[in-house]
Amino acid sequence: MDVHGRDLRYFISVAEELSFTRAAERLFVSQPALSKQIQVLEKQLGVVLFERDRRTVRLTAVGTALLPHARAVLAAWQATEAAVQEAKTAERCTLVIGMSTSPGRGLLPALRTRLVSRHPDVQSVLRQVNWADPSAGLADGSSDVAFVWLPLPDEDRYQYAVVAREPRLVALPDGHPLAARAASDPEGKVDFSDLLEEPFLALPPEAGPLRDYWLALDARDGRQPRIGGVVASAEETHEAVASGQGVALLATGNAPLVVRNEVIAVPVRGISPAQLAVAACQDDKRTLVLAYLAAAREVGATTC
C-alpha cells in the first residue's frame, strides 16, 4: 500500500469540510478530480471513508478513525519538509574555511567584513587541519576555501589569491651560536648557507612540495637536509626547537606561534619569501566560494 501525502490532504479537507464542493475549492482542484482521488484512496485502503448522498457527506467509522492519524502523518511530513529546507538554506549560506594554523595578520576579520557586505546571511565555520594536508581540507572536500602556503601539490587543481608575502625566519633555541652571528650582522640576519649543517624540522612527508619548500631545498645546491624531526603543528615546532631537535623555517607572520619560552627567530638571507594564499578547487563556482576569493584578492592587493 502506497498512500501519497496528497491523498491524505484531500481526505482531511473533505473530512473537515464535509463537502466535496467546498473541499475542492479549498484545494484549488476540480470536484470530479477530488472525488476520483478519494475513490482511489478508499480502494487502496480497502474501506469506505465517506457516506455520501445528494445533500450530505459524513465520515464512516473507519474514516473517523483515520482522521487523527492522517493529520499526524501529514504534520510529520510537513515538519520533515521544513527541516530539509532549513538544512538546504543553511548549507547554501555556510562556508567552511580550512587552515593549518590561525592565519592571523588581521586576515580573517578583513575577509569576513568584505564577504558579509555582499552576503549578510553567510555563516563561516573555521576548520583546523593537520600540517600533513597542505591543501587544508580542499583535496578531500572537507573545506570550501582554505588558507594555504604555496606551493600547493597539484597546483592546477586550485584557484587562489595571495594575501601575504613575508620573509622567512629561522626558529632557533635561545643561546644558539647563530643568534650571536645575527646580532653582529648589519642587517640582523644569518645567511642560509650558515644553516646547511643544522638539523631541520620537517613537515610530514604527505605535505609533498610544501615540505621541500620549508626545508628550502631550492637553496641547498643539491645537498640533502639533515632531518632532526617531523612536526605537524606550531606547538610541536616550538617544543622540538626548544628541546634542540632542530631548527625550523617559518614565515614572519607565524613567528608569534613559535617564538616564546627559550625559542627565538632571526631573519634569513638567501631564500625566497613565503606566500600565504586563500585557495579553492579550480572547478568550484559556488557563489560564496567565488565571493571569498574575490575578497581575498582585494585584501591581497593592499597587503602584498
Side-chain angles (χ1 to χ4, degrees):
M1 182 175 63
D2 184 17
V3 176
H4 297 284
R6 176 197 59 192
D7 300 330
L8 294 180
R9 283 195 298 273
Y10 284 7
F11 164 70
I12 291 169
S13 294
V14 176
E16 291 177 347
E17 298 291 342
L18 293 179
S19 166
F20 278 82
T21 300
R22 290 193 298 272
E25 292 172 352
R26 171 174 158 181
L27 294 165
F28 300 101
V29 298
S30 69
Q31 183 176 330
L34 175 59
S35 297
K36 181 178 179 180
Q37 207 59 46
I38 293 296
Q39 291 170 2
V40 170
L41 177 60
E42 290 177 322
K43 184 176 181 180
Q44 285 180 301
L45 297 176
V47 298
V48 176
L49 298 173
F50 297 101
E51 295 176 354
R52 313 164 177 84
D53 59 34
R54 291 184 178 180
R55 290 183 297 178
T56 62
V57 175
R58 296 184 302 276
L59 280 166
T60 64
V62 175
T64 300
L66 174 61
L67 183 57
H69 298 288
R71 285 171 171 157
V73 169
L74 198 59
W77 179 244
Q78 289 171 340
T80 300
E81 288 180 317
V84 169
Q85 186 59 44
E86 183 178 350
K88 286 170 62 179
T89 301
E91 187 176 55
R92 287 196 299 268
C93 294
T94 300
L95 191 71
V96 180
I97 304 171
M99 60 190 69
S100 56
T101 57
S102 172
R105 306 163 179 84
L107 291 172
L108 282 173
L111 288 169
R112 177 165 178 76
T113 296
R114 285 168 170 80
L115 183 64
V116 170
S117 70
R118 299 161 185 165
H119 301 278
D121 296 329
V122 67
Q123 296 294 322
S124 300
V125 177
L126 304 181
R127 180 173 181 271
Q128 194 82 25
V129 181
N130 187 282
W131 287 2
D133 178 5
S135 77
L138 295 177
D140 64 9
S142 57
S143 297
D144 299 317
V145 295
F147 286 89
V148 298
W149 290 101
L150 302 181
L152 277 165
D154 303 319
E155 192 165 296
D156 291 344
R157 292 180 55 191
Y158 305 103
Q159 51 184 324
Y160 59 82
V162 175
V163 291
R165 287 187 177 89
E166 300 173 343
R168 281 186 282 178
L169 312 177
V170 61
L172 305 167
D174 194 12
H176 192 285
L178 287 176
R181 185 173 301 182
S184 64
D185 184 85
E187 296 180 337
K189 298 180 179 180
V190 294
D191 292 313
F192 184 72
S193 58
D194 295 330
L195 297 168
L196 293 177
E197 298 302 322
E198 295 290 331
F200 267 70
L201 301 176
L203 297 182
E206 299 92 326
L210 198 59
R211 172 187 168 104
D212 296 343
Y213 179 78
W214 290 108
L215 291 172
L217 292 193
D218 61 340
R220 292 177 179 271
D221 294 325
R223 298 175 61 177
Q224 291 301 305
R226 293 174 56 201
I227 305 299
V230 175
V231 291
S233 69
E235 190 59 35
E236 288 181 15
T237 303
H238 169 79
E239 295 298 331
V241 173
S243 65
Q245 290 184 43
V247 302
L249 294 178
L250 66 158
T252 301
N254 280 1
L257 301 174
V258 177
V259 176
R260 63 184 189 282
N261 301 335
E262 303 179 343
V263 174
I264 64 171
V266 298
V268 181
R269 185 186 294 114
I271 55 176
S272 61
Q275 297 187 89
L276 179 64
V278 170
C281 290
Q282 185 68 255
D283 58 356
D284 195 338
K285 305 303 180 185
R286 288 176 293 170
T287 299
L288 289 181
V289 168
L290 296 180
Y292 203 77
L293 285 170
R297 292 187 187 96
E298 291 175 6
V299 170
T302 64
T303 59
C304 295

